[in-house]
Every structure is written in structure tokens, then in C-alpha cells.
Amino acid sequence: MAVRTIGIALNGVTGRMGYRQHLVRSVLALRERGGVRVGDDVLVPEPLLVGRNADKLKEIAQRHDLPRWTTDLDAALGDPDVAVYFDAQVTSAHVPALTAAIATGKHVYCEKPVAATPEEVAELARLADAAGVKHGVVADKLYLPGIRKLRRLVDGGFFGRVLSVRGEFGYWVFEGDWQAAQRPSWNYRAEDGGGIVVDMFCHWSYLLEGVFGRKVEAVTARAVTHVPTRWDERGEPYEATADDAAYAVFELADGLVAQVNSSWATRVHRDELVEFQVDGTLGSAVAGLRRCVAQPRAVTPKPVWDPDVPSSIDFRSQWQEVPDNGVFDNGFLVQWEEFLRHVAGGAPFGHDFRSGARGVRLAALGLESSRTGRRIEVPA
């Protein structure tokens, strides 16, 4: 068995997602485990940290005993030891960096959304294909334990004919005046690529595709800004120009309808920050981040509507926990393993830039639906 290293330039590791999920919990975790098995070889990732803030990069590098970091993206891309470029910067910075990485022959992996428009993402896919390099976009929600259990129910025929999906995602993001916000201020400025539609509709696109095997064929959406004034990282008030909530209906093949509410202006009264209820002719299930419960047709209760009498049915107690039946690793790490096997061994990888383009296109059509008040069909 041969042990090989693969250099990975990680741009954007000073941000929350780039640092926690991609550097610490994925790339460094894989290295600490001894690498990724690719055929008869083991591939060990070696990170090169890239960013604009030298002080932050140096501090992260020292914290994790990493010798290689730079604020010079061109130098990182010119490094012959680097085979993969990963981008977790703000969306508006993706295109030029990814274009440069592709031009230097690096395989590219990127946080979603890959770019602001589907045309830009499709052009990046074309450039990558022409250069003969692999390309991928993060699709982390598919790797959540709750969603993986839900997918198992779908694959096992539990639902019969799937009728509908209802999704609830979100939580209260503080305005930043008397308590610090949990999300960066650019998320609420449309001119900086912010907005919950741009952020979350990409997720709903690949999640519906990945779980139910069907692409979205039409969308009706209403995007709103519930909180018009927020305070930035310096404590200065600013106008929120991007949507902080979206209420959408996605139509899929065979009559499947998905209703998904996404909001940073809601308070949570459910078991997890995101939950999906799937109803089918033979059963129903509710999946969250980690849990999934199910109720088959044969044991479904028979309630009768009577608002004047308290219900005697304890509805929650009649759902059955779907077992793990395995070990669920960090979803970001699992997808990193898949992408590295794709790069080094040619293993299949379903979340390329074209998948990313479909997500960005769904967001654009969702915003168009909200602006025009119309149901928008998604081109094939």
C-alpha cells in the first residue's frame, strides 16, 4: 500500500464555515486519521491556508501546527504540490479565484453558491471540463444523519407513492444592536451576495434531487425582508437590502409538491433547526439534522375533527424512531472523502458545478417568482 500526499489550497479558512467544517472537521480530521483510502493507496491531505488577513492566517496556522499559509493566491495556485483548490470565500469572490485555479490545472471544490448567476457557474463547468480538471460543490445537507435515514426509507419503498414534502428551516438571527448577530452582516446585503433565497434554495435543489431523484420543474416563491435594519460587526446600523425569509412551493415530477419555509426571523418550536415531513400513500416520516421518525399506513391513527373536545390521541408517541443502522460521520468530511476519491481515483461524484448551476438557477427563478408574483417553470 502506497501512501501519497495531496496538497489542498483552502481559501476562506478565516470564516466560520471554512475554518470549522472544512479545515478542522474535514481536512485536518482526515489527515489525523491517516488519510483517505483510494484503491490500494492512501491519500493524505496537506493543507495550504490562503486568505487576505495575514494575522488571522498566522494564528490559525500556529494553532494547528501548519507550516504553510499565504495571502498570495497566485503563489498558492502556482505551487506544484497543490492539486486541489477549495473556495469558502464570500460568493462574490468565487468566480475570479476559481477561474484562476482552473487555468493553472487545479481541481476545484467550492462552497455553495458557486457564483451569483447560473450562467457563471455553467461557464466555470465548461472551463473545468476543457482543462481536464475535476469540479465539485458542497452538498452537505444530503450527508446529515436524519436525511440519510430519510433517503433509506425512500430507497426501501417505505412511502409507496410520495405525495408531498413540507420543510421548515430557520431560527432567530439577532439584529446585532443589543446582542451580537450569529451570522455575518453581508448575509443581509444583496449587493454583497446575501439573502436567504440565494443561500438556501441551492440546498433545497440538491436535497430534493438527491433524496427523491427528481429535479424541480416549477417554483412559486415569496421572498421578504422582515427585519429592515440590522447592526454590523462594528456596531453600526445598516439597511438590510436582502431577503431574510422565503416561502416557497417547488413542483417536481409525478405530482410531488414540496413546500419549504426558510427564515432567519423565526423562533424554533420543533425538535431541530431544520425538519422535513414526507407523506406518502404507505407511510410518513419526519427527518431533521440527526433524527428521523416514521409512521406506516397500518398504524396511522384515525382522528376525528372536533374542536370542542380535547384530543385523546398522543400523536407524537405513535411515531417510530428510524434506527441509525451504521455510523454517521461529519457530513462535510464524508463529502471531502468522496471528492478526493473522485480526483485521485475517478470515483463517481454527483455534485459537480452543473449541479451547482441548477441550485443557483432555482434561487434566481425563486427571486423572479417573488418579484413578479408568478409561478415560474424551470427549464429542462
Side-chain angles (χ1 to χ4, degrees), residues 17 87 89 91 94 110-115 137-141 183 198-203 206 356 360:
M17 189 70 73
D87 201 318
Q89 301 180 93
T91 303
H94 286 174
C110 186
E111 261 292 347
K112 59 86 220 152
V114 177
V137 62
V138 175
D140 57 287
K141 299 294 183 290
R183 299 186 66 87
V198 171
D199 189 37
M200 297 309 301
F201 277 33
C202 297
H203 287 298
Y206 71 68
V360 173

Side-chain angles (χ1 to χ4, degrees), residues 41-370:
D41 297 339
V42 174
L43 203 62
V44 179
E46 286 297 337
L48 166 60
L49 309 185
V50 184
R52 293 176 297 174
N53 189 314
D55 292 335
K56 288 183 178 179
L57 285 173
K58 183 178 180 181
E59 192 276 326
I60 292 172
Q62 291 176 340
R63 186 189 312 164
H64 297 283
D65 193 25
L66 299 173
R68 307 181 70 210
W69 61 271
T70 182
T71 58
D72 187 340
L73 176 60
D74 290 337
L77 297 178
D79 189 330
D81 292 332
V82 169
V84 174
Y85 170 76
F86 172 72
D87 201 318
Q89 301 180 93
V90 295
T91 303
S92 57
H94 286 174
V95 171
L98 290 167
T99 301
I102 292 168
T104 58
K106 309 303 182 188
H107 304 290
V108 286
Y109 186 41
C110 186
E111 261 292 347
K112 59 86 220 152
V114 177
T117 69
E119 293 78 15
E120 288 176 308
V121 188
E123 175 62 11
L124 286 170
R126 188 193 67 78
L127 291 173
D129 287 345
V133 299
K134 305 292 199 307
H135 46 95
V137 62
V138 175
D140 57 287
K141 299 294 183 290
L142 277 178
Y143 297 83
L144 293 169
I147 300 300
R148 292 173 68 181
K149 295 177 200 176
L150 178 63
R151 173 63 187 271
R152 189 198 309 154
L153 293 177
V154 173
D155 291 345
F158 169 81
F159 294 102
R161 182 166 60 89
V162 180
L163 307 174
S164 65
V165 179
R166 295 196 304 280
E168 289 286 343
F169 164 80
Y171 47 93
W172 186 265
V173 176
F174 283 92
E175 298 91 326
D177 50 351
W178 68 281
Q179 190 164 177
Q182 310 98 294
R183 299 186 66 87
S185 58
W186 71 265
N187 283 173
Y188 302 94
R189 289 191 287 264
E191 59 272 23
D192 293 333
I196 202 164
V197 170
V198 171
D199 189 37
M200 297 309 301
F201 277 33
C202 297
H203 287 298
W204 309 150
S205 175
Y206 71 68
L207 191 144
L208 292 169
E209 280 187 30
V211 174
F212 303 103
R214 313 175 201 179
K215 296 181 177 65
V216 177
E217 296 183 345
V219 57
T220 306
R222 179 73 174 127
V224 296
T225 305
H226 286 309
V227 181
T229 303
R230 293 183 178 269
W231 280 256
D232 64 19
E233 290 77 6
R234 299 170 298 176
E236 298 292 332
Y238 67 96
E239 179 186 358
T241 55
D243 45 279
D244 57 18
Y247 311 95
V249 175
F250 304 116
E251 300 173 41
L252 288 78
D254 301 324
L256 175 56
V257 177
Q259 308 167 65
V260 184
N261 295 329
S262 312
S263 179
W264 290 321
T266 186
R267 294 175 179 88
V268 180
H269 185 53
R270 53 186 181 271
D271 291 337
E272 304 197 61
L273 295 184
V274 62
E275 285 187 348
F276 293 92
Q277 176 159 339
V278 180
D279 293 311
T281 54
L282 298 182
S284 297
V286 177
L289 294 167
R290 303 202 65 82
R291 295 185 64 208
C292 183
V293 294
Q295 185 175 88
R297 178 173 181 262
V299 298
T300 300
K302 189 178 181 181
V304 177
W305 174 257
D306 188 346
D308 299 318
V309 179
S311 176
S312 61
I313 302 174
D314 182 359
F315 291 101
R316 283 179 176 263
S317 69
Q318 298 185 2
W319 291 71
Q320 180 181 357
E321 190 86 25
V322 177
D324 289 353
N325 286 359
V327 177
F328 297 113
D329 218 329
N330 178 280
F332 291 88
L333 179 148
V334 173
Q335 195 178 0
W336 264 104
E337 286 183 309
E338 289 185 1
F339 185 69
L340 291 177
R341 290 192 180 103
H342 177 57
V343 166
F349 188 79
H351 311 294
D352 61 8
F353 279 2
R354 289 182 177 80
S355 170
R358 290 196 295 275
V360 173
R361 180 178 65 178
L362 184 61
L365 296 179
L367 290 172
E368 180 183 347
S369 172
S370 183

